Amino acid sequence: MTIKVHDKLLLTGAAGGLGKALRDRLKANCSVLRLSDVQAFGDALEGEEIILADLADAAAVDAMVKGVDAIVHLGGMSVEGPFGPILQANILGAYNLYEAARKHGVKRVVFASSNHVTGFYRQDQTITADHPARPDGLYGLSKAFGEDLSRFYFDRYGIETACVRIGSSFPEPRDRRMLATWLSFDDLHRLITACLTTPVLGHSIIFGMSDNAVTWWDNSRARHIGYVPQDSSDVFRDAIYARTTSPDLNDPVARYQGGGFVVAGPFGD
Amino acid sequence: MTIKVHDKLLLTGAAGGLGKALRDRLKANCSVLRLSDVQAFGDALEGEEIILADLADAAAVDAMVKGVDAIVHLGGMSVEGPFGPILQANILGAYNLYEAARKHGVKRVVFASSNHVTGFYRQDQTITADHPARPDGLYGLSKAFGEDLSRFYFDRYGIETACVRIGSSFPEPRDRRMLATWLSFDDLHRLITACLTTPVLGHSIIFGMSDNAVTWWDNSRARHIGYVPQDSSDVFRDAIYARTTSPDLNDPVARYQGGGFVVAGPFGD
Amino acid sequence: MTIKVHDKLLLTGAAGGLGKALRDRLKANCSVLRLSDVQAFGDALEGEEIILADLADAAAVDAMVKGVDAIVHLGGMSVEGPFGPILQANILGAYNLYEAARKHGVKRVVFASSNHVTGFYRQDQTITADHPARPDGLYGLSKAFGEDLSRFYFDRYGIETACVRIGSSFPEPRDRRMLATWLSFDDLHRLITACLTTPVLGHSIIFGMSDNAVTWWDNSRARHIGYVPQDSSDVFRDAIYARTTSPDLNDPVARYQGGGFVVAGPFGD
Amino acid sequence: MTIKVHDKLLLTGAAGGLGKALRDRLKANCSVLRLSDVQAFGDALEGEEIILADLADAAAVDAMVKGVDAIVHLGGMSVEGPFGPILQANILGAYNLYEAARKHGVKRVVFASSNHVTGFYRQDQTITADHPARPDGLYGLSKAFGEDLSRFYFDRYGIETACVRIGSSFPEPRDRRMLATWLSFDDLHRLITACLTTPVLGHSIIFGMSDNAVTWWDNSRARHIGYVPQDSSDVFRDAIYARTTSPDLNDPVARYQGGGFVVAGPFGD
Amino acid sequence: MTIKVHDKLLLTGAAGGLGKALRDRLKANCSVLRLSDVQAFGDALEGEEIILADLADAAAVDAMVKGVDAIVHLGGMSVEGPFGPILQANILGAYNLYEAARKHGVKRVVFASSNHVTGFYRQDQTITADHPARPDGLYGLSKAFGEDLSRFYFDRYGIETACVRIGSSFPEPRDRRMLATWLSFDDLHRLITACLTTPVLGHSIIFGMSDNAVTWWDNSRARHIGYVPQDSSDVFRDAIYARTTSPDLNDPVARYQGGGFVVAGPFGD
Amino acid sequence: MTIKVHDKLLLTGAAGGLGKALRDRLKANCSVLRLSDVQAFGDALEGEEIILADLADAAAVDAMVKGVDAIVHLGGMSVEGPFGPILQANILGAYNLYEAARKHGVKRVVFASSNHVTGFYRQDQTITADHPARPDGLYGLSKAFGEDLSRFYFDRYGIETACVRIGSSFPEPRDRRMLATWLSFDDLHRLITACLTTPVLGHSIIFGMSDNAVTWWDNSRARHIGYVPQDSSDVFRDAIYARTTSPDLNDPVARYQGGGFVVAGPFGD
């Protein structure tokens, strides 16, 4: 059963893939679920309210945050791309969000970070949250910025944040890399629930993955969150091997944890 | 099934809360269970013998220890209080116990240490047995002393000790903090049994907790003991959340692992 | 179900104890299982081929390796003994094997290393693959050499190797030490399968043990292999305790992880 | 003697305090020293050229970088302040700089990072470059971003960077805190020279401090740079103690490494 | 020049060997040096005052501490011996001292700990302050207790302490072991001065040794104290080798850092 | 002054480059210096004796070792080459040497290991003796074997060994890489003297380098040896830069610590 400790919860990026997956699930975590995205995505249902906001617009973000008890921040760019939009949505946007949280006394945030913060580690390495960031692109860089930003807001203002380095959250794993990185929607919800309800969260970094056999990430320093995954990529293993070929280890895409992101771009001019 | 490797086992502190919980359970670990406490607590049952002893009285402790094969040492003060009684029962008492063990050739001790040895770590930290002691009071200090004392008796005389840093061993967890610290009576017994029977114990520190989802303690360096908890605080989670309120993180009681102990006292004058 | 990613797989040491245990099981991992040993051991069955080779004979090893996709290398001396044969079979033999792999483009090897590479750690220590080698004899030394050799062939030529530090792989554990070291034949096969199929293996060291309660080895740095043991020595625990006596901790055999190996020899003159 | 390995060297932020201190000194490191700042600051002297550029202007930055062999990047905001200018000069500016370096094949950068990247560690802690960032403000955050950005450009494009976390680089230390953080101008130049000339720089983080007795920073992981400080704050110690009072350890300014930065701001509205 | 930051400084154990060595030297650190020991040791000189106190007597200790700004605590038993006096002087005595410090607002203590806190590490090991205590006797145990006690008074009450694990502080080193452990009187004074004057001390453990070539202790985590030794045992090396014989490594006295302490006792009955 | 603690000292490899450099210097360390090499290299001088031996010949090695108090083992192959001779001289040879030491009660050995044991670490990494071996060739592999072998003879038989990972010991550094790796002949002698005379050596690994500004190796775990280098490559720095060009970091020779060794070979057929 999902424990409900917040009255009004804000979910940003509600119109995106993960936002949709969480919209129903997060209702169990609160009395009112406030949904936000940059553009209109339909009407609020019962138990919901909708406030649209461009994350780069401080005033809009302020209005979006005002009145909520906690935030699940999925908003912003979620793929590699040119720096301009990433700067606006993910860097300025994260700053605006935390400034609003500070002003309105919001004390807990679940920040959707990404495995691309550490995408330049090799797939034969096991890393912990203490390994230095090795972002695999501009997107990963912006998420590393968000992690550091939230650390500052914790050290300075006591706002607790869980930086959830989401692996690959899809209905099912699509390729051999995702055998390691897959995070089921239900486990994603379990993880966010754990972050929202654990008595003391502090500023924590946790890798968002299901209970996969193959893994590169060690969450042993984040046990105080109490996340216990219940799904696993293993049941998809045979099928994925059957339809995919062995990786070429001379290809950075196969060698590094970030997969295709490590060769995306450069974008621009 | 409980493996029995000792003939005569001494349980100190037999009249206390945990002593009572272990009295029946430990009979499976030995042929004769010798029970001790500072004051009379009834008659010995079949398979038991009782020797009362004030731990600060070296001669009494010597008599208490003589003839046993191993010791489960729960005796002494088990809550925060003035230094005088703690000094007598827990510091001088521990010394007397190990001296007696040395003289009588007892080679294995399970020493009831406490999570209060490390009570000044924060609840968002995961610690191992290698983290330096940060006691949260005089009681925790006396347990840190016992750990160091037993280390000395191992390095010098080869007496093996498991320092079991007991979390919160009660019939069930009482508050949100105990979701992390809870140790069921059955798991306590499993843990003591593991300490008594593992082929090589050495001098080991192990956190005494059940298989709780939220935890602050990493026992990965104590796997040679072979403790596998089978209970969990998780089944009590919903009920505890329902009847308790969110912690105030400005309160040291909520922020530190030691809970209420970190603000108890000072005692005296 | 066993995933099959290789067409022709070489199993060396096929006539030995583990070789026999794996002969049937490994057929599921390949189309053709090439078996090798130093002396004739019968005829090839369907799906098998046999090429005999003395590992110290470079030309024979070259022929043995030519044409396979991957190697499971159990061959060589597997017990403590005089240095001469160990030098030939395990040191020169390992060199010959990797030279042949290099020449013929074999890119993945499962190398049967041994817990005797670290046999001089104590049984109350938990070690990881990063702990320096502390071999307990000439056999352990030769396996440490093989691990370093394979590291070189990875760093220089990109040949991936899993060094599997096999504990005690027998039908069942025989004594109290094996409660920690036991590796069931099925788990051995699971482990080798994981090494053969994980997308990126790199150069990895993994302790080969089942899911035993008592353990000295921490495989947390090798999770990318995806090995999940399913057997445990625990079901044999009561019977072993019943028929064996408590270890004498003054005896190095009881104190060190290598057991009897730590006092075997010296051999010669 | 200063070793000269570059022909044309770019110094950004040339009109600032450190820029002025380095302008003369860096001429020994190159044939031509290109100076840049956002606004005009006089004429180029012999051996110099000047190209003004707003770091937020990609085209201007491109022109500024084109044709140089290496970059010493001091440019941008160097104190705490509102996020807008920091975002432009330090975040977008750093991105523009590395993009220009990538396009023009510049392979080595000395990036002026700051102790404020880790300003929320306590003054009784010794930290290394592996400790996670704990920025003490928006300025420190922007420098943490620059460090991560340069890591990405190294992992992806092989551009080497030394992130020099400059302590307090002034003619002399001004207060007790600067006894730990002081970096003389000559040592700053020695450090930059070491970064420019060491055969292999990789991506390295090094704390910029003189050979002070009191220090919080451990550069032992950056010895490949070959920086050997020759000045020390110690000669100023008596005078500073004579004119300053003991710190109040209840004041975050005294407790944390970042000093006054840890309480600066918030800025805005 | 010695920096003077305290007005009235208390030196306990003033009549002992180190107390005598420090009596003159510490006058430079304060306006008034209060001296204490358990028994009369002559009259106060100019700039001194004397208050005798049995450390086990809380009231006497309270009077001894009242009115001072900082404490250098050398008092108590300083050699191995029976537990009774050690319990009184070093355990109860340390408690009384810190209680008095708490009551009277003394905020900084230099606590004379000992290398015997870690005497059971081998002489071929390099240890840091983070290595767990391995006391070599009852004396070492009492010093480990004092370190933990002072940690508690820092965590709870903000009293800063430097635990100085004094090696062998004599006019000159006497044997081969002391080549590693020697601490000249002048370096002892430099170290205490550093502890008294560094801006932020926190709770720190530092090994008290001169700049000896052979050493077992790594003070790199205590650099914030700013201790820079200026003496060395090396000048005595030839003479010591000439008059002593090679150690027998089968002898624990030669093998362990604690030297003769590791075999002293047991004391009693 | 060189301390003399051994009567008869064996120097193997006496006819090689380092052997010649040490022949005179080591006479100060002993009464009689026994010199050995595989082939005749002239007559013994006063205070010397010569016993020729092929290291692969156990009987010859036995005779070579008999009667000495300690061994400085430089003998064997000291460059990359085919495996056959390396196997004979460095692997079988090291075994023969330690077997002879065991039989004749020699208790201390200085083993000339090599930086090529860890040659596949990058030049921007700082490594300690605890970093796993990453040999850069067959020669480095044989030295890694020797290190493990000596560890075994210490754990099993108490023979102390210093594995000295010699960098580049030449009259002066020849190229930019040697600025980091250079070990002057005098410092080599100081290091060997330290190994021979430190009271407790244990089994230790120490990097053999002078006090160079640029370095990749951290000897902080080997301080018990008491080695204090007095030379530095820095005085050669300007001249080397003047006559050499910047390294191409795409070249493994420039990127890895092993330099040219990382691309030597393969040798054979």
Side-chain angles (χ1 to χ4, degrees), chain D residues 76-260:
Chain D
M77 302 289 293
S78 63
V79 290
E80 184 64 353
F83 192 56
I86 286 175
L87 185 76
Q88 292 300 310
N90 290 16
I91 293 183
L92 179 55
Y95 170 74
N96 287 337
L97 187 92
Y98 275 88
E99 272 296 280
R102 178 182 69 77
K103 289 175 188 161
H104 296 295
V106 181
K107 300 307 274 184
R108 190 168 289 196
V109 179
V110 179
F111 170 65
S113 184
S114 168
N115 71 85
H116 296 289
V117 168
T118 49
F120 258 117
Y121 286 95
R122 297 189 318 276
Q123 293 193 12
D124 55 3
Q125 287 183 288
T126 303
I127 61 171
T128 72
D130 286 349
H131 279 69
R134 296 186 70 170
D136 57 23
L138 304 176
Y139 166 66
L141 258 170
S142 73
K143 290 299 180 182
F145 175 84
E147 293 191 357
D148 288 341
L149 177 84
S150 59
R151 174 89 223 192
F152 166 65
Y153 276 87
F154 177 67
D155 282 339
R156 181 73 172 272
Y157 302 111
I159 300 175
E160 294 186 298
T161 292
C163 299
V164 180
R165 290 186 182 161
I166 296 174
S168 303
S169 199
F170 294 102
E172 58 180 74
R174 297 173 177 172
D175 55 30
R176 297 191 186 188
R177 176 178 169 272
M178 288 194 191
L179 290 172
T181 61
W182 189 58
L183 173 67
S184 75
F185 291 152
D186 285 338
D187 276 345
L188 171 62
H189 179 239
R190 283 181 195 106
L191 174 47
I192 291 174
T193 297
C195 295
L196 290 172
T197 58
T198 195
V200 178
L201 179 62
H203 181 267
S204 298
I205 294 171
I206 185 166
F207 294 94
M209 57 178 167
S210 286
D211 184 25
N212 309 321
V214 172
T215 183
W216 313 318
W217 305 325
D218 179 341
N219 271 331
S220 60
R221 282 181 186 77
R223 293 181 186 170
H224 64 288
I225 295 176
Y227 168 54
V228 182
Q230 297 181 21
D231 296 319
S232 168
S233 67
D234 301 1
V235 296
F236 304 96
R237 193 174 165 106
D238 290 354
I240 286 173
Y241 270 78
R243 71 171 185 260
T244 57
T245 55
S246 286
D248 171 7
L249 298 185
N250 294 316
D251 182 358
V253 171
R255 206 161 56 233
Y256 292 108
Q257 297 188 3

Side-chain angles (χ1 to χ4, degrees), chain B residues 89-168:
Chain B
N90 290 16
I91 294 184
L92 179 55
Y95 170 74
N96 287 337
L97 187 93
Y98 275 88
E99 273 295 281
R102 177 183 69 77
K103 289 175 188 162
H104 295 296
V106 180
K107 301 308 274 182
R108 189 167 288 195
V109 178
V110 179
F111 170 65
S113 185
S114 168
N115 72 84
H116 296 289
V117 168
T118 50
F120 257 116
Y121 286 95
R122 297 189 318 277
Q123 293 193 12
D124 55 4
Q125 287 183 287
T126 304
I127 61 172
T128 72
D130 286 349
H131 279 69
R134 295 189 70 171
D136 57 23
L138 304 177
Y139 166 66
L141 258 169
S142 73
K143 290 300 180 183
F145 174 84
E147 293 190 358
D148 288 341
L149 177 85
S150 59
R151 174 88 222 192
F152 166 65
Y153 276 88
F154 178 67
D155 281 340
R156 181 76 171 272
Y157 302 111
I159 299 174
E160 295 186 297
T161 293
C163 300
V164 180
R165 290 187 182 160
I166 296 174
S168 304

Side-chain angles (χ1 to χ4, degrees), chain B residues 10 34-38 41 49-53 60 63-66:
Chain B
L10 169 63
R34 180 180 292 176
L35 303 168
S36 181
D37 212 303
V38 64
F41 56 98
E49 57 187 41
I50 291 181
I51 300 185
L52 302 183
M64 173 184 80
V65 167
K66 186 176 179 184

Side-chain angles (χ1 to χ4, degrees), chain A:
Chain A
M1 209 191 75
T2 301
I3 296 169
K4 184 182 300 191
V5 297
H6 296 104
D7 183 43
K8 189 172 287 190
L9 186 63
L10 168 64
L11 172 67
T12 72
L18 295 190
K20 287 175 190 161
L22 287 171
R23 184 172 177 173
D24 280 347
R25 289 173 173 90
L26 281 177
K27 281 185 192 164
N29 298 68
C30 54
S31 304
V32 178
L33 181 65
R34 180 180 293 175
L35 304 168
S36 181
D37 212 302
V38 66
Q39 288 184 307
F41 55 97
D43 296 327
L45 306 179
E46 189 178 327
E48 296 178 346
E49 57 186 42
I50 292 180
I51 300 184
L52 300 183
D54 180 339
L55 291 167
D57 177 343
V61 170
D62 191 271
M64 173 183 82
V65 166
K66 186 176 179 182
V68 304
D69 303 305
I71 303 171
V72 176
H73 181 49
L74 306 183
M77 303 289 293
S78 62
V79 290
E80 186 62 355
F83 191 57
I86 286 176
L87 185 75
Q88 292 301 309
N90 291 15
I91 293 182
L92 179 54
Y95 170 74
N96 287 337
L97 187 91
Y98 276 88
E99 272 295 281
R102 177 181 70 77
K103 288 174 189 163
H104 295 296
V106 180
K107 300 308 274 182
R108 189 167 288 194
V109 179
V110 179
F111 171 65
S113 184
S114 168
N115 72 85
H116 296 289
V117 168
T118 50
F120 258 116
Y121 286 94
R122 298 189 318 276
Q123 293 193 13
D124 55 4
Q125 288 182 286
T126 304
I127 61 172
T128 72
D130 285 350
H131 279 70
R134 296 188 70 171
D136 58 23
L138 304 176
Y139 166 66
L141 258 169
S142 73
K143 290 300 180 183
F145 174 85
E147 293 190 356
D148 288 342
L149 177 84
S150 59
R151 174 89 222 192
F152 166 66
Y153 276 87
F154 178 66
D155 282 339
R156 182 73 171 272
Y157 303 111
I159 300 174
E160 296 187 297
T161 292
C163 299
V164 179
R165 290 187 181 160
I166 297 174
S168 304
S169 199
F170 294 102
E172 58 178 76
R174 296 173 177 170
D175 54 29
R176 295 190 188 189
R177 176 179 168 273
M178 287 194 194
L179 290 173
T181 61
W182 189 59
L183 173 66
S184 74
F185 291 151
D186 285 337
D187 276 344
L188 171 62
H189 179 240
R190 282 180 196 107
L191 174 46
I192 290 175
T193 297
C195 295
L196 289 173
T197 58
T198 196
V200 179
L201 179 62
H203 181 266
S204 299
I205 295 172
I206 185 165
F207 293 95
M209 56 179 168
S210 286
D211 184 25
N212 309 321
V214 172
T215 181
W216 313 319
W217 307 324
D218 180 341
N219 271 331
S220 60
R221 283 180 187 76
R223 293 181 187 170
H224 63 289
I225 296 176
Y227 168 53
V228 183
Q230 297 182 20
D231 295 319
S232 167
S233 69
D234 300 1
V235 295
F236 304 96
R237 194 175 164 106
D238 289 354
I240 286 173
Y241 270 78
R243 70 171 186 258
T244 59
T245 55
S246 285
D248 171 6
L249 298 187
N250 294 317
D251 182 357
V253 171
R255 206 161 56 234
Y256 293 107
Q257 296 187 4
F261 276 59
V262 305
V263 297
F267 296 90
D269 355 44

Side-chain angles (χ1 to χ4, degrees), chain A residues 212-214 234, chain C residues 187 190-191 194 209 211 225-231:
Chain A
N212 309 321
V214 172
D234 300 1
Chain C
D187 276 344
R190 284 181 194 106
L191 174 46
M209 56 179 168
D211 184 25
I225 296 175
Y227 167 54
V228 182
Q230 297 181 22
D231 296 319

